């Protein structure tokens, strides 16, 4: 309840993150990233989340996935897909140096389409590639690009040929996942799609949850801990 002292302490901390101090103050450091007050302020109502917030949050999801009872998650950073789509596997093969992505259950690929965030999810257990867009646009070509990447990565890193025909590619429809009702919440939708998927939970939130999710993310990023 809002009268809970813990809740009040969190609320005042979140407000302070937005309102006090300088834009360049560093409020959190982890995953080789420093998050400044200016970055955190993108979590204010109707703010557009930036790469640093997105990548930091993906880092928190990956960290949580190392705990007992969670699927093993690998997350690419937000620059991966644009690099892959503008070059090819060659352009990004160093990104997975020392990592076998195929040892994971779920691979998250946050995608920045100029002014819109979307999410691609590879489930290696089910052999599915799903595209999540809170504006309901299809990403079949994005699914295909990532499947081709997985084929080349598998051949190169493990000397195993993937059988493309065994894979299911699917752009989630507007009736399957919640849709944003403004022009600014796409980044929060991507983070929460990734949050629910990385816990194997059904996606049951709505656009009405966004103001709450934004504030919660401020606390989680500052404390480097998912609630």
């Amino acid at each position: 309840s809002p009268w809970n002292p813990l809740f009040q302490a969190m609320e005042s901390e979140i407000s302070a993150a937005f309102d006090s101090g300088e834009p360049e103050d560093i409020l959190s450091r982890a995953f080789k990233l420093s998050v400044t007050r200016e970055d955190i302020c993108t979590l204010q109502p109707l703010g557009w989340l930036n790469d640093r917030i997105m990548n930091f949050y993906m880092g928190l999801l990956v960290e949580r996935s190392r705990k007992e009872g969670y699927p093993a998650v690998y997350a690419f950073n937000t620059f991966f897909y644009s690099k892959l789509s503008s070059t090819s596997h060659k352009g990004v093969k160093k990104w997975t140096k020392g990592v076998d992505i195929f040892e994971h259950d779920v691979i998250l690929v946050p995608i920045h389409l100029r002014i819109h965030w979307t999410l691609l999810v590879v489930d290696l257990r089910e052999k599915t590639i799903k595209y999540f867009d809170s504006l309901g646009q299809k990403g079949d070509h994005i699914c295909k690009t990532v499947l081709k990447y997985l084929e080349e990565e598998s051949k190169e890193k493990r000397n195993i040929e993937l059988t493309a025909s065994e894979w299911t590619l699917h752009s989630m429809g507007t009736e399957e996942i919640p849709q944003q009702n403004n022009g600014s919440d796409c980044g929060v939708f991507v983070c929460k799609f990734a949050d629910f998927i990385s816990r194997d939970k059904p996606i049951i939130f709505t656009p009405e949850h966004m103001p709450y999710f934004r504030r919660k993310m401020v606390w989680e990023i500052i404390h480097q801990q998912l609630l």
Side-chain angles (χ1 to χ4, degrees), residues 27-89:
L27 302 189
S28 198
R29 257 201 196 97
F31 322 118
K32 299 185 181 151
L33 291 168
S34 299
V35 173
T36 64
R37 190 179 311 281
E38 190 172 6
D39 299 325
I40 285 284
C41 282
T42 65
L43 284 161
Q44 286 177 311
L46 303 183
W48 289 33
L49 273 52
N50 66 14
D51 290 283
R52 228 177 259 142
I53 292 292
M54 301 294 287
N55 288 323
F56 201 97
Y57 195 79
M58 295 295 147
L60 291 173
L61 296 177
V62 168
E63 198 168 81
R64 179 179 67 191
S65 81
R66 299 196 179 105
K67 292 184 185 156
E68 197 59 47
Y70 287 95
V73 175
Y74 183 84
F76 279 106
N77 88 21
T78 53
F79 304 106
F80 169 77
Y81 181 76
S82 54
K83 181 77 173 162
L84 171 66
S85 58
S86 65
T87 55
S88 65
H89 181 264

Side-chain angles (χ1 to χ4, degrees), residues 127-150:
K127 295 192 176 169
T128 60
I129 298 176
K130 290 182 178 168
Y131 183 71
F132 293 77
D133 184 343
S134 54
L135 286 178
Q137 290 157 337
K138 297 271 174 250
D140 300 346
H141 63 293
I142 296 178
C143 294
K144 285 187 188 127
T145 301
V146 171
L147 179 59
K148 189 169 179 341
Y149 164 80
L150 291 173

